[in-house]
Amino acid sequence: MKNYIPYSGNQLLNIPSLNKDSAFTNEEREKFNLIGLLPSKIETIEEQSSRIYKQYSSLEKDIDKYVFLRGLQDRNETLFYYVLNQHVSEMMPIVYTPTVGTASTDFSNIFRKGRGLFLSAQDADHIDLIVNSVRDNDIKVIVITDGERVLGLGDLGIGGMAISIGKLSLYSCCGGIPPSKTLPIVIDVGTNNQSLLSDPLYLGLKQPRLTGEDYFNFIDVVIKALQSRWSTAVIQFEDFAQKNAMPLLNKYKDNTNCFNDDIQGTAAVTLGSLISASKKLNRRLSDNVICFLGAGSAGCGIADYITKQMVTEGLSESEARDRIFMVDKNGLLFENDQNLQEFQTAFARKSKLVTEWNIADQSFIDLETVIRNSGANILIGVSGATGAFGESIVEALLCNDPHPIIFPLSNPTSKAEASANQLVEWSNGNAIIATGSPVKPFVFANKEYNIDQCNNCYIFPGIGLGAIAAKASRVTDNMLLRASRALADYALANVDSDTKILPPLDDIRNLSKHLAFEVAEQAALDGVALYQSAETIQKNIDNIFWEPEYKPYHRVSY
């Protein structure tokens, strides 16, 4: 397929999706009026990548590396993704967690160039016009945030745009979605972060956040405009506050091609990791008792997917829920708690449980007490409570199981419930561990540990790719659950370490293709896509899957 380009000169060099920098051939330089605008040497993308990596490696601070890579992305997208693919394990913590947290916090201070759409509440009457100003009529994936709950850092206003950009970088890097078919969006409805409101450099609306009906009405205007322009695009909700995340998901999931990554994506990757870990120990997931610290929308979303998996393994729904214990800052959740949110009620325990445990103080039942009385052998942290998994917590788990499974998933690293190093030491290397943020390899008792990062990037790129390949009209829970099981199966088939439960990041593009096939098949089974043969699904995936390589250009006039 020939690429006919109507642009020339500096105009062509300033389009990041088309720019090749020093890799333009002599023929292209002549045809596109580039002679004299570039150094005379014609380089390959490999040579360019070598220079970029050398420059990157000379930087000491992670945030400086982030700014450097974002600058490359805004100048030459093909080269950016080529470099990222070559060094994905090293650079993913820079383009996404944990460094993206710093980038979100400092967004206005490090801002260089706009990318995507900034949809402000003050422009509510012009959202259709703004959405229609986007050049591409075939956007495939949209990541949208209002920046109110960025990672574990809270309200960062339009700084949430860094999250949308970062997620879509992973869609292209890991899932092969062409970057020109992605669109990052931040919804600017103000901020309640006083430090941002008083910062003269803050680029967002300097007003308190919209709430209630005004907030939901504006979101509705945005979603309708996006649906009207790109009716089949997958919309990923990202980093919405707990009070809004579940209501928005429930409102749109049955009539919009969408999912919430914090709720469903986190649930899917955690479930896949738990299935993999359980199989490593020659168990089913339903053989375990699971305790959560953190009972927000993410924690309850994971618990819901765990319940669904246990049901497929033969338990009733009530039996599955009886194996799950939710603890938050107020202790174990009980059904008579007047402060329970609707999504928490399914996992709140009956009061008679306290009597059976024979606990003197029934007003607050803490995490360690729950573990010791429930027999829990899996512990998942989604609380943002730094250091909450202390040595006594690990000792309690070891009393229940010589090989407990411990996932401190809170992001960024500063919010983690425990460090992997501590958990390995306290369990004497016997726990199976996965973390929310990346961990550098370390040695304990003369053995090297490479701890898995339970990162949503193992799931959402394959989900998006599969939904696109199937031409699905919705993203269903069954599609995500099937991706979880496929992730576990792929990990077990491709990892031979006794401590690893997830495949290496270097293999993530092959993993995404594998998940996409499973997701596309499930979409047809769920009735949200037409039936396609296995051969057709695979062909669709291969046709969509984008590789960062330069194509020859041919000049065409307007």
Side-chain angles (χ1 to χ4, degrees):
M1 180 178 177
K2 292 185 177 181
N3 294 278
Y4 292 100
I5 308 299
Y7 312 106
S8 64
N10 283 314
Q11 185 183 23
L12 176 57
L13 296 177
N14 288 325
I15 300 174
S17 60
L18 299 177
N19 184 23
K20 302 182 188 181
D21 287 320
S22 56
F24 281 104
T25 66
N26 277 327
E27 182 181 9
E28 288 172 333
R29 295 180 187 211
E30 182 176 343
K31 288 183 177 180
F32 291 95
N33 300 330
L34 297 174
I35 296 174
L37 299 181
L38 295 165
S40 59
K41 183 181 179 182
I42 298 170
E43 294 188 303
T44 64
I45 197 168
E46 293 83 5
E47 290 174 316
Q48 291 178 318
S49 175
S50 178
R51 177 183 296 104
I52 290 295
Y53 185 66
K54 182 178 180 180
Q55 295 169 353
Y56 170 89
S57 300
S58 70
L59 301 171
E60 295 183 1
K61 295 182 179 179
D62 287 348
I63 189 61
D64 292 336
K65 292 181 177 181
Y66 173 90
V67 171
F68 175 79
L69 290 177
R70 280 285 296 109
L72 176 62
Q73 186 179 19
D74 285 338
R75 188 185 82 242
N76 184 334
E77 278 189 336
T78 305
L79 181 55
F80 166 78
Y81 284 107
Y82 184 89
V83 172
L84 187 55
N85 284 350
Q86 295 297 307
H87 307 280
V88 63
S89 296
E90 178 182 355
M91 291 184 174
M92 189 176 291
I94 302 298
V95 299
Y96 200 60
T97 56
T99 309
V100 75
T102 306
S104 297
T105 303
D106 295 340
F107 183 82
S108 293
N109 294 307
I110 64 174
F111 181 81
R112 300 290 193 277
K113 181 180 180 182
R115 174 175 282 263
L117 293 180
F118 296 80
L119 301 182
S120 169
Q122 69 182 5
D123 298 321
D125 294 336
H126 309 291
I127 296 301
D128 280 317
L129 182 64
I130 296 169
V131 167
N132 285 319
S133 70
V134 176
R135 185 166 46 192
D136 201 305
N137 289 317
D138 191 29
I139 294 295
K140 300 293 188 183
V141 182
I142 297 168
V143 174
I144 186 169
T145 184
D146 71 352
E148 188 170 7
R149 193 208 61 83
V150 176
L151 303 175
L153 301 170
D155 183 354
L156 298 183
I158 64 163
M161 176 57 94
I163 297 291
S164 294
I165 293 170
K167 285 283 186 180
L168 288 172
S169 296
L170 300 188
Y171 265 109
S172 298
C173 171
C174 306
I177 309 298
S180 62
K181 304 301 180 185
T182 68
L183 181 65
I185 295 178
V186 65
I187 298 173
D188 187 2
V189 292
T191 179
N192 295 330
N193 185 329
Q194 191 56 49
S195 65
L196 295 179
L197 292 173
S198 59
D199 183 354
L201 294 180
Y202 179 61
L203 292 167
L205 285 179
K206 289 196 172 184
Q207 65 178 46
R209 280 185 171 272
L210 291 184
T211 58
E213 187 176 351
D214 290 339
Y215 172 84
F216 286 104
N217 285 344
F218 182 61
I219 299 294
D220 203 48
V221 168
V222 171
I223 298 300
K224 286 179 178 176
L226 297 176
Q227 282 186 298
S228 177
R229 180 79 195 275
W230 304 290
S231 59
T232 61
V234 176
I235 299 175
Q236 176 176 311
F237 291 105
E238 191 72 33
D239 285 351
F240 285 78
Q242 182 172 288
K243 66 181 183 295
N244 297 325
M246 193 65 78
L248 288 171
L249 179 61
N250 289 335
K251 179 175 182 179
Y252 294 111
K253 67 180 181 180
D254 293 329
N255 54 42
T256 304
N257 197 15
C258 70
F259 70 101
N260 183 299
D261 189 47
D262 304 298
I263 299 172
Q264 296 166 288
T266 299
V269 72
T270 305
L271 175 60
S273 302
L274 289 173
I275 295 172
S276 177
S278 296
K279 288 184 175 181
K280 281 273 185 181
L281 298 170
N282 296 314
R283 306 172 188 161
R284 301 177 306 166
L285 181 61
S286 54
D287 295 328
N288 301 291
V289 177
I290 302 167
C291 185
F292 284 80
L293 182 63
S297 55
C300 290
I302 297 170
D304 181 54
Y305 275 28
I306 289 172
T307 301
K308 288 179 167 64
Q309 175 62 22
M310 287 184 173
V311 169
T312 67
E313 295 177 0
L315 299 188
S316 69
E317 189 170 319
S318 61
E319 288 172 334
R321 287 178 176 170
D322 282 345
R323 304 187 76 80
I324 299 172
F325 295 82
M326 308 295 297
V327 179
D328 68 4
K329 62 183 179 181
N330 296 316
L332 181 65
L333 294 192
F334 282 106
E335 62 181 6
N336 59 357
D337 186 342
Q338 300 300 310
N339 296 316
L340 285 180
Q341 298 196 51
E342 184 178 353
F343 62 81
Q344 296 175 317
T345 56
F347 300 102
R349 307 312 296 256
K350 296 184 182 299
S351 300
K352 68 177 184 179
L353 181 68
V354 181
T355 304
E356 294 172 359
W357 285 358
N358 194 28
I359 297 171
D361 183 6
Q362 301 180 9
S363 62
F364 179 83
I365 303 180
D366 65 17
L367 177 63
E368 185 174 342
T369 301
V370 172
I371 292 171
R372 293 190 182 278
N373 285 274
S374 67
N377 62 332
I378 294 179
L379 177 59
I380 299 171
V382 281
S383 65
T386 308
F389 294 174
E391 187 170 5
S392 64
I393 297 295
V394 176
E395 290 174 353
L397 288 166
L398 288 167
C399 289
N400 299 332
D401 189 328
H403 296 287
I405 299 169
I406 310 174
F407 288 5
L409 299 181
S410 292
N411 279 314
T413 306
S414 61
K415 298 291 183 178
E417 289 81 6
S419 73
N421 306 59
Q422 291 172 321
L423 295 176
V424 168
E425 179 183 349
W426 294 336
S427 69
N428 197 31
N430 289 315
I432 292 182
I433 300 162
T435 58
S437 293
V439 177
K440 293 181 179 179
F442 61 91
V443 175
F444 172 76
N446 297 318
K447 180 179 179 179
E448 184 174 81
Y449 287 83
N450 290 279
I451 301 298
D452 287 302
Q453 183 187 6
C454 187
N455 191 321
N456 292 22
C457 71
Y458 281 108
I459 284 286
F460 69 78
I463 295 290
L465 180 60
I468 295 167
K471 299 180 181 178
S473 60
R474 302 288 181 272
V475 176
T476 67
D477 279 329
N478 284 337
M479 292 161 68
L480 286 142
L481 288 164
R482 185 155 172 180
S484 298
R485 297 167 189 138
L487 170 60
D489 291 341
Y490 190 93
L492 291 169
N494 291 276
V495 175
D496 55 11
S497 167
D498 59 349
T499 61
K500 301 266 308 165
I501 57 174
L502 290 169
L505 287 175
D506 292 339
D507 194 33
I508 199 163
R509 287 166 74 82
N510 289 326
L511 168 66
S512 293
K513 289 181 180 180
H514 176 73
L515 298 191
F517 182 88
E518 300 287 329
V519 167
E521 277 201 334
Q522 189 62 47
L525 292 174
D526 288 348
V528 297
L530 296 177
Y531 169 78
Q532 299 179 93
S533 68
E535 293 77 10
T536 300
I537 292 173
Q538 192 60 59
K539 183 178 179 180
N540 288 346
I541 292 170
D542 292 340
N543 287 340
I544 294 165
F545 208 85
W546 178 79
E547 297 288 350
E549 55 190 17
Y550 294 136
K551 306 292 186 181
Y553 291 166
H554 302 272
R555 184 72 185 270
V556 63
S557 300
Y558 281 103

